[in-house]
Amino acid sequence: MADTVASRNGTPAASAAGFVWGYRYGLLLVVLPLLLIAGGKAGFVSNFQFLQLSLMIVYAIAVLGLNLLTGFNGQISLGHGAFFAAGAYTAAILIDQHNWPLWATLPMAALVCFFAGYLFGLPALRLEGHYLALATFALAVAVPQILKYRHLEPITKGVMGINVFKSDPPFGLPLSTDQWMFLVVLAVAAFMFWIARNLLDSRTGRALIAIRDHSMAASTMGINVAHYKAVVFGISALYTGLAGALHGVIFEFVSPDSFRFELSIAILVGAVVGGIASLPGAVIGGVFVQVIEKYADALTKQISAAVQLPLELDPWLIYGIVLIALMYAMPTGIVGGMAVLWRRLKAMRGL
Amino acid sequence: MVAAVAERVAAGPSANALLNVQNVSVRFGGIVALNGVSFDVPRGAILGLIGPNGAGKTTLFNCFSRLYIPNSGDILFEGRSILREPRHAIPRLGIGRTFQNAALFDGLSVRDNIKVGCHASTGNGFLTNALRLPARHTEEERIGKRADEMTAVLDLGSYAQRPAGGLPFPIKKRVEIARALAGAPKLLLLDEPAAGLNHEEVDALRAQIRRIRDAQNVTVLLVEHHMSLVMSVCDKVVAIDFGKKIAEGTPAEVQKNPDVIRAYLGTGA
Ligand SMILES: Nc1ncnc2c1ncn2[C@@H]1O[C@H](COP(=O)(O)OP(=O)(O)OP(=O)(O)O)[C@@H](O)[C@H]1O
Ligand SMILES: [Mg+2]
């Protein structure tokens, strides 16, 4: 939090500090993956672990998309899994049926999802709060059904899903496919987070937050509320759709059942847990989504065994429990909670 | 040029007014909030709009910023009707406003709130800002400068980095004035800026309003219940009651007007 304030307060000292920070982050972004790849070469980091890392980053991009929409613009979506699916299927269809290369597929998936989000956002403008939540909920429920729809089967392959072949590392780079995809996903994420930060720290970002905080006052400041809301819906869908495309590629498979309604909830919970109006929060949210997806099942079984419940628990129960616990302990998400802890620690040292 | 002159002549003697309010009526269901109100706001004036609670003052402001559309009548700004303009085009024409209950963007800092006030006078869109194209830097710098100027004009320096949400009400109202001024309006609409201020603060506000009119070159339309402020700062006063104009003139004239006295003492109606 202190950082955002400093970077916004345009004094020369602050902008120099901002530059140093940007520089450090940039260095981190180069050094860390290199270390990981070196670890992979030396056999410390397995391909499976690279895949797990990639998935975390992918979910972080998806969560960031929802953060922009809900956290910074105040529009609720319970249906972002739909855009995730749209991105994944666009990529899968282009690669599998049209032999597109990965580098062309990603921007195309992003573009498709931008327009899908924009078009969905236009009529959604008339819906506020609960009604918008309901409309997006309907979208999330409908998408798997649409993907299974008989007459679309020639394209979507119905319940069978589509196999996607990962592209090998280019130029004969001495990397495994998982290592290469990890680098691709990381580069895309770095670029998308940079974009989000630029947007938020500008006339556009202030307009988005103004609409969230007081949309009527925002309109009297000359902000075209309808335009901004629709475009940010598109951008949000673009982020989440791009994440979906990357997911399809690193997972090598898309099917209607990978994009059930629970995915939308997972993205929303990830956003809330990390901190809904926070960029670092999106990273934490991404890690959270991946970890829960991986361990929720096992954890739920353990819990029901431990307390010897006579009924079978749904793995999604974990979401509810974690969410309630977190909201109780850190109402502003993990990033907000950390900031509070940090301030208390500093105050204690000051005494 | 010729057309403009012809237009002025056609519009009659009131044509050099900045704002013409012509026979404006607003109804909410059965309630008649405004009933055929007409008056002019001369360029460069500080015009007071007074009236008891529920008289229709805020409703009129809301018509000026196109939040409400009058059921009948017209509102001309610089000789052109604003009623067909979309809401977000109003500040670009040169009308800025504050709200009776301080409608700030709570999550933004005071400085960023004021920056939002520059929205209408700037134009960078999503792509320019997202990709940090060169235009972003120049415009953001301009916005920052303007925000700092307005922070100084309204004496808000010590609050600049504070989130607007937690500020005391009188400070919020001052931030609103700075935010409205940031867009360099020709007409500034102030809805009860003195609400909640103590004696010295009202004196400071009086000086600020005068300074703003002179230095920023704006015409001010002031809705206020604080009579001594209205009487000391305004060049002209319009009084309304139950949606109808009951008096118009210099502060002294309006103060003496029997209808105005009756409206405020509540012996009428
Ligand atoms: N959106 C609305 N819907 C219904 N009635 C409204 C609406 N806005 C205003 N009114 C009514 O119109 C009348 C005028 O209200 P307005 O807020 O303009 O008064 P005002 O002169 O600003 O009063 P105050 O000094 O208390 O602020 C009141 O009777 C009010 O209840
Ligand atoms: Mg009012």
Side-chain angles (χ1 to χ4, degrees), chain B residues 26-29 31-34 50-62 68 100 191-192 223-225 240 242-243:
Chain B
V26 175
R27 278 185 299 278
F28 297 108
I31 302 169
V32 181
L34 288 173
I50 63 169
N53 292 112
K57 306 177 296 292
T58 300
T59 303
L60 194 55
F61 269 23
N62 286 342
Y68 298 159
Q100 187 166 347
D191 199 346
E192 301 195 17
V223 163
E224 195 41 81
H225 286 297
I240 56 177
F242 290 110

